[in-house]
């Protein structure tokens, strides 16, 4: 059961005051008075708890109550975050691109929305760390890298391909602080229809960040934190609503952490300032998000390459580091967005949003290449000045209407994104070293360089989505079309001369069906496409200069979801085929006839196993194959970086005999992976255990929470992932995280 409480409408109770009615928080206080039920706010949702007397104390989680000062229509995005599910770790739904917010049970895709409560309880420092809860996600770079990236469903997902409330080109492009997120939403598989083509064309999944907003209950939370070896920091989260009906909102998040990590010679700093302003009227809503993020790392990690035909040596000690102590990465992001919505009627809403980002960075570092099985390597050190400037816009309309017994929801959207990238890559020196016994040399002279334009790109699209439902939403048909156009120019970043231009487009359809034989069971099937820019054939081929069409990936997925009341279990079976360019030796041409096919089975569970035990995670079985490669040595081989089994299972236990104490544990397992397309180089499987505890208590009426998390508690040494394009990623060493939060 879910109850919605709006200002002045709480069972007809009212009190004298400026508005003549109770606020939602006051209404909740009055309604729950004397019942023994308490609540805590998460977003615009009150999570109810009833204390139970079993001789040792404890609390029973009840159903969520949605609390809003002004009711918003279901097609809205602003002030319409889906409430948390039982247990508070995930939400009951999330954004699905042009279709707006949809519940998990009404989505014909695999979708998980992690809450701010999960971020805080796990002390996740970056958005990438939140994804450690999902068995379909693996790190493509080391977790101690300055640019953490991922594989999703076995495909690489670029760090730039993360949307902000559905809009690409806004968030920091390399590392995203988790402190600004109210939701971390992950939809698995290609998603060209939903939000348009991602800037880098990633097809593994759609990652969307929903920002924090001011809620009905004032928030003033101060957190101090520590991470081994000597990283200290803090986080301030302040939110207030103003006005007779709390129509004005301000939410500020500021955080900083810095110091030495558990890795040799490495220090990391990250600072964030995020300001969210919003207005909600009877028919109009406005939201402004402004952010500044700065990160600095010494001796930053890079993946290892390895020469062909060499057995991959055992992973070195997880705390070791071949990066030169004087190498560094300095990244600064300024970003923001403005979103407005207007309700033409209760059924129709028009909206517009614009945003942008400027990323400046200077990096001195290299990608080491292992040259023999003893672990010797060469490491060319480059100086990389970098500038990326992006602006994005979107306008659209969403509405709903009925034709007899059939309910319709429609969306029409147009968006545009323009990006300019400038960089240089001069090599300063080359170091000969070893992964087990690194060699360090004196710092070379580093010339100051302004990055020159390397590329610019323009992507724009027009999309239409339509949902038809009947029989009390037991049967739903979801479909849509998006026309995408891609234009880009590449330049010689030394001379500024134009070296190539690209212009092409594609129509990407999608369709999904949801059938509910029972109210709590959803059976679904869907077809979705992913889109990546094609390429210009290089000069050494007979068809040099030919513009290949965009690479269109295809996904078929079927599955079932069961909501047991306090626990959701899901089963998904999928197949993704991704085209690729191959060289044809018979006629010396380069074509887009290659293909990688990933098939998988995903089993997941989220919610409450018992009143005191929560579960989050599951297992993914993958089969990645190379097809149509044009080479007998690689045809039918296992795709690189695609393990057979990925398992992530986390449990939380509220100890019944110590009120406020929760113990946590998580297991992450990954089977063996191949590094090369011929399947001659392989890394072994690995397993990692994380443990933790948190304790909530009060001091002079102030709620406090102490948290302890230990990642890789066994301090295992392992290669985390392997791929000939992106290299070998080292697993992170044992990391201890401690924090203390106080609410004022």
């Amino acid at each position: 059961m879910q109850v919605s409480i709006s200002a002045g409408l709480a069972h007809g109770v009212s009190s004298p005051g400026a508005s003549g009615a109770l606020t939602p928080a006051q209404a909740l206080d009055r309604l729950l008075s004397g019942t023994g039920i308490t609540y805590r706010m998460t977003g615009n949702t009150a999570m109810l708890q009833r204390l139970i007397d079993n001789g040792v104390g404890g609390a029973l989680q009840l159903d969520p109550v949605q609390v809003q000062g002004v009711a918003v229509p279901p097609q809205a995005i602003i002030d319409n975050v889906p409430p948390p599910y039982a247990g508070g770790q995930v939400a009951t739904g999330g954004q699905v691109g042009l279709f707006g917010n949809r519940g998990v049970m009404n989505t014909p895709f695999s979708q998980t929305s992690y809450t701010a409560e999960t971020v805080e309880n796990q002390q996740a420092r970056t958005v990438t760390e939140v994804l450690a809860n999902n068995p379909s996600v693996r790190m493509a770079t080391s977790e101690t890298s300055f640019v953490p990236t991922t594989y999703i469903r076995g495909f690489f997902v670029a760090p730039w391909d993360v949307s902000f409330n559905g809009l690409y080109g806004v968030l920091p492009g390399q590392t995203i602080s988790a402190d600004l997120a109210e939701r971390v939403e992950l939809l698995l598989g290609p998603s060209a229809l939903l939000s348009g083509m991602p800037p880098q064309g990633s097809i593994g999944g759609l990652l969307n960040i929903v920002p924090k907003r001011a809620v009905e209950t004032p928030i003033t939370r101060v957190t101090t934190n520590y991470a081994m070896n000597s990283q200290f920091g803090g986080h301030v989260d302040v939110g207030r609503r103003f006005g007779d009906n709390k129509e004005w909102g301000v939410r500020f998040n500021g955080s900083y952490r810095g110091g030495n990590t558990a890795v040799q010679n490495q220090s990391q700093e990250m600072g964030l300032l995020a300001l969210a302003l919003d207005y909600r009227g009877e028919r109009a809503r406005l939201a402004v998000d402004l952010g500044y993020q700065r990160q600095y790392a010494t001796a930053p990690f890079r993946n290892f390459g390895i020469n062909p035909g060499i057995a991959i040596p055992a992973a070195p000690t997880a705390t070791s580091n071949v990066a030169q102590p004087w190498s560094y990465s300095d990244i600064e992001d300024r970003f923001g967005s403005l979103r407005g919505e207007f309700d033409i009627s209760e059924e129709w809403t028009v909206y517009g949003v614009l945003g942008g980002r400027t990323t400046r960075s200077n990096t001195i570092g290299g990608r080491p290449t292992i040259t023999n099985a003893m672990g010797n390597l060469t490491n060319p050190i480059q100086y990389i000045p970098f500038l990326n400037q992006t602006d994005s816009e979107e306008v659209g309309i969403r509405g709903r209407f009925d034709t007899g017994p059939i309910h319709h929801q429609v969306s029409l959207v147009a968006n545009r994104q323009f990006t300019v990238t400038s960089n240089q890559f001069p090599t300063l020196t080359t170091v000969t070293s070893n992964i087990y016994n690194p060699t360090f040399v004196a710092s070379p002279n580093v010339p100051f360089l302004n990055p020159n334009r390397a590329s610019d790109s323009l992507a724009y699209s027009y999309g239409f989505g339509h949902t038809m439902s009947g029989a009390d939403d037991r049967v739903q048909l979801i479909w849509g079309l998006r026309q995408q156009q891609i234009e880009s120019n590449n330049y010689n970043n030394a001379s500024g001369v134009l070296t190539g231009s690209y212009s092409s487009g594609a129509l990407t359809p999608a369709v999904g069906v949801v059938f509910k034989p029972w109210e709590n069971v959803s059976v679904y099937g869907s077809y979705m496409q992913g889109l990546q820019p094609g390429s210009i054939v290089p000069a050494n081929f007979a068809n040099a200069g030919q513009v290949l069409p965009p690479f269109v990936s295809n996904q078929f997925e079927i599955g079932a979801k069961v909501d047991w009341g306090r626990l959701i279990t899901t089963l998904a079976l999928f197949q993704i085929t991704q085209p690729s360019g191959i060289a044809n030796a018979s006629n010396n041409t380069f074509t887009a006839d290659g293909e990688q096919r990933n098939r998988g089975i995903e089993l997941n569970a989220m919610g409450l196993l018992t009143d005191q035990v929560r579960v989050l995670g599951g297992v993914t079985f993958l089969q990645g194959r190379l097809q149509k490669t044009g080479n007998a040595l690689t045809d039918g081989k296992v795709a690189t970086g695609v393990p057979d089994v990925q398992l992530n299972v986390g449990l939380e236990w509220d100890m019944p005999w110590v009120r406020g104490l929760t113990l946590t544990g998580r297991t992450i397992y990954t089977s063996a992976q191949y590094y090369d397309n011929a399947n001659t180089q392989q890394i072994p499987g690995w397993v990692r255990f994380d443990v933790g505890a948190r304790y909530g208590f009060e001091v002079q009426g102030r709620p406090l929470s102490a948290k302890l998390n230990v990642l890789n508690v066994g301090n295992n040494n392992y290669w985390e992932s392997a791929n000939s394009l992106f290299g070998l990623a080292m697993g992170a060493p044992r990391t201890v995280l401690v924090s203390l939060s106080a609410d004022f």
Side-chain angles (χ1 to χ4, degrees):
M1 178 185 68
Q2 293 186 8
V3 181
S4 180
I5 296 180
S6 298
L9 300 177
H11 288 261
V13 295
S14 61
S15 63
S19 64
L22 292 176
T23 67
Q26 290 171 333
L28 270 176
D29 289 335
R30 177 170 295 188
L31 287 171
L32 299 177
S33 177
T35 65
I37 298 176
T38 61
Y39 69 92
R40 54 186 171 81
M41 297 300 300
T42 302
N44 284 336
T45 302
M47 300 301 295
L48 303 185
Q49 289 185 328
R50 184 178 71 237
L51 297 180
I52 57 176
D53 186 6
N54 55 9
V56 289
L60 176 64
Q61 184 80 46
L62 301 178
D63 290 322
V65 171
Q66 193 166 355
V67 179
Q68 296 178 325
V70 176
V72 298
Q75 65 268 16
I77 292 296
I78 299 175
D79 200 31
N80 196 27
V81 179
Y85 186 68
Q89 294 181 294
V90 299
T92 56
Q95 292 184 31
V96 188
L98 61 82
F99 293 103
N101 284 314
R102 292 188 66 85
V104 171
M105 303 298 289
N106 294 314
T107 302
F109 315 107
S110 296
Q111 172 195 27
T112 308
S113 180
Y114 301 99
T115 64
E117 182 177 353
T118 296
V119 173
E120 294 170 5
N121 288 340
Q122 297 182 356
Q123 301 184 75
R125 294 160 292 180
T126 67
V127 165
T128 309
E129 291 183 357
V130 181
L131 302 182
N133 295 292
N134 196 292
S136 293
V137 180
R138 284 297 177 266
M139 294 300 299
T141 54
S142 172
E143 293 176 59
T144 59
S145 168
F146 67 99
V147 186
T149 56
T150 58
Y151 299 111
I152 302 178
R153 285 188 169 175
F155 290 103
F156 178 75
V157 175
W160 304 93
D161 291 351
V162 181
S163 63
F164 185 69
N165 249 351
L167 186 69
Y168 289 119
V170 178
L171 287 169
Q174 300 190 53
T175 302
I176 305 169
S177 172
D179 293 331
L180 60 78
E182 181 64 38
R183 296 282 190 272
V184 177
E185 299 180 336
L186 176 64
L187 189 145
L188 302 178
S191 57
L193 169 73
L194 303 182
S195 297
M197 187 191 75
Q200 300 296 313
S202 300
I203 68 164
L206 170 60
L207 183 60
N208 181 57
I209 306 304
V210 178
K212 292 179 179 177
R213 295 262 184 262
V215 295
E216 299 297 325
T217 303
I219 294 174
T220 304
R221 180 170 298 159
V222 178
T223 302
T224 60
N225 50 59
Y226 160 82
M228 68 181 300
N229 282 345
S230 59
Q231 284 200 318
F232 295 90
H235 177 203
V236 176
D237 184 357
V238 180
R240 294 290 188 277
R241 298 211 70 87
F242 305 94
D244 292 342
N245 292 307
K246 304 294 185 182
E247 59 268 29
W248 299 95
V250 179
R251 185 80 175 261
F252 170 78
N253 277 268
S255 63
Y256 171 83
R257 58 178 59 89
N260 295 328
T261 73
V263 175
Q264 183 183 14
N265 298 325
Q266 187 181 83
S267 66
Q268 290 184 349
E269 294 180 80
M270 175 175 281
L272 170 75
L273 299 173
L275 179 65
L277 309 173
D278 73 276
Y279 167 79
R280 57 193 192 198
E282 290 186 6
R283 299 178 66 179
R285 293 169 297 281
L286 189 69
V288 178
D289 292 277
L290 302 172
Y292 174 83
Q293 182 178 283
R294 181 77 177 267
Q295 56 178 326
Y296 184 90
T298 61
F301 253 26
R302 297 292 295 273
N303 279 10
F304 293 85
I306 186 168
N307 286 342
I310 297 170
I312 297 177
T317 303
T319 57
S320 66
N321 191 358
V322 302
Q324 298 298 307
W326 39 264
S327 62
Y328 71 90
S329 177
D330 187 0
I331 306 172
E332 180 183 64
D333 291 279
R334 292 178 168 88
F335 58 98
S337 72
L338 169 65
R339 177 182 290 268
E341 298 177 346
F342 180 76
D343 302 330
I344 302 173
S345 66
E346 291 184 4
E347 292 78 24
W348 292 91
T349 298
V350 295
Y351 71 92
V353 55
L354 58 89
R357 174 196 64 233
T358 297
T359 299
R360 295 180 181 272
S361 70
N362 279 280
T363 299
I364 295 179
R367 178 180 173 179
T369 299
I370 299 171
T371 57
N372 60 34
M374 303 301 293
N376 291 333
L377 60 87
T378 58
N379 192 6
I381 309 297
Q382 294 178 312
Y383 169 45
I384 310 172
F386 176 86
L387 173 64
N388 179 274
Q389 296 171 296
T390 298
D391 64 83
S392 300
E393 301 83 33
E394 180 172 296
V395 294
I397 182 170
R398 293 192 184 98
R400 48 199 169 95
F401 61 93
D402 295 337
T403 56
I406 305 300
H407 307 297
H408 301 264
Q409 299 176 36
V410 296
S411 302
L412 185 64
V413 63
N415 59 22
R416 170 192 177 275
Q417 180 177 305
F418 181 69
T419 301
V420 177
T421 300
S422 305
N423 56 42
Q424 293 197 59
F425 300 88
T427 298
L428 304 177
T429 186
T430 299
V431 178
T432 301
S433 187
N434 184 277
I435 62 174
Y436 307 114
N437 186 24
T439 299
F440 302 121
V441 301
S443 173
N445 292 325
V446 181
F448 174 78
L449 296 174
N450 283 314
N452 296 325
R453 177 174 292 202
S455 66
D456 57 55
S457 64
L458 173 65
Y460 54 92
S461 69
Y462 310 94
F464 172 78
H466 183 200
T467 299
M468 302 171 61
S469 60
D472 293 330
D473 289 337
R474 294 290 183 92
V475 180
Q476 303 178 39
L477 172 65
I478 302 167
W479 67 278
L481 297 167
R482 186 183 288 265
Q483 176 64 43
Q484 181 87 52
Q485 188 69 26
I486 310 161
E487 300 176 3
S488 64
N489 298 299
N490 296 318
Y491 305 88
N492 182 309
N493 59 7
S495 65
V497 174
L498 180 69
T499 59
S501 296
Y502 180 91
S503 179
S504 190
L507 181 67
T508 54
V511 63
V513 176
V514 176
F515 173 60
K516 295 182 176 180
W518 300 277
E519 183 63 30
N520 67 320
V521 176
S522 291
V523 180
Y524 70 90
S526 61
Y527 168 74
M528 182 82 81
Q529 289 188 338
L531 192 63
Q532 298 168 296
S535 58
I536 301 173
V537 177
N540 55 317
F541 290 96
N543 60 335
Q546 178 183 350
V547 177
L548 298 181
F551 295 143
V552 178
S553 301
N554 296 282
Q555 174 180 272
F556 295 91
E557 180 175 339
I558 59 174
K561 306 174 185 179
V562 182
D563 186 347
W564 303 93
R566 298 190 300 173
L567 178 73
I568 291 178
T569 55
T570 66
L571 166 67
L573 293 82
F574 67 88
Q575 174 179 288
I576 303 174
T577 53
Q578 178 191 42
S580 61
I582 61 168
N584 189 329
S586 63
N587 57 9
N588 190 34
T589 59
F590 188 84
T591 63
D593 296 326
E595 184 176 88
Q596 178 176 331
R597 185 199 68 201
N598 286 9
R599 290 174 171 170
I601 300 174
E602 297 163 334
L603 295 165
N604 284 281
M606 58 202 81
L608 290 166
L609 290 176
T610 71
D611 291 343
Q612 286 83 33
V613 178
R614 289 172 293 279
V615 63
L616 181 61
V619 61
T620 296
F621 302 97
L622 281 171
Q623 183 194 72
R625 293 292 183 268
L626 301 177
Q627 302 183 136
K628 307 175 185 178
T629 65
N631 187 337
L633 296 177
T634 55
D635 256 348
K637 296 295 186 180
V638 177
T640 62
V642 182
D644 292 336
V645 181
Q646 299 178 172
L647 179 143
N648 298 55
V649 176
L651 294 173
E652 295 190 346
W653 179 31
D654 299 331
M655 296 186 67
W657 53 83
V658 183
R659 182 175 295 172
L661 179 62
T662 300
L663 302 182
T664 67
R666 181 171 61 192
T667 300
I668 302 177
Y669 167 76
T670 305
S671 62
Q673 304 168 57
Y674 285 107
Y675 176 85
D676 65 320
N677 289 338
N679 292 176
T680 62
Q681 297 169 295
Q682 187 180 44
I683 63 171
W686 56 270
V687 64
R688 180 184 112 186
F689 299 101
D690 304 336
V691 298
R694 62 179 182 269
Y695 180 56
F697 56 102
E698 289 189 358
V699 174
Q700 296 181 345
R702 299 289 185 186
L704 282 85
S705 178
K707 301 180 181 71
L708 168 69
N709 295 90
V710 184
L711 311 181
N712 189 10
V713 67
N715 203 28
N716 295 341
N717 307 319
Y718 58 94
W719 296 116
E720 186 158 2
S721 63
N723 184 294
S724 56
L725 291 178
F726 307 109
L728 296 166
M730 281 181 58
R734 179 193 297 122
T735 304
V736 178
L737 305 171
V738 180
S739 69
L740 177 64
S741 299
D743 289 354
F744 297 91

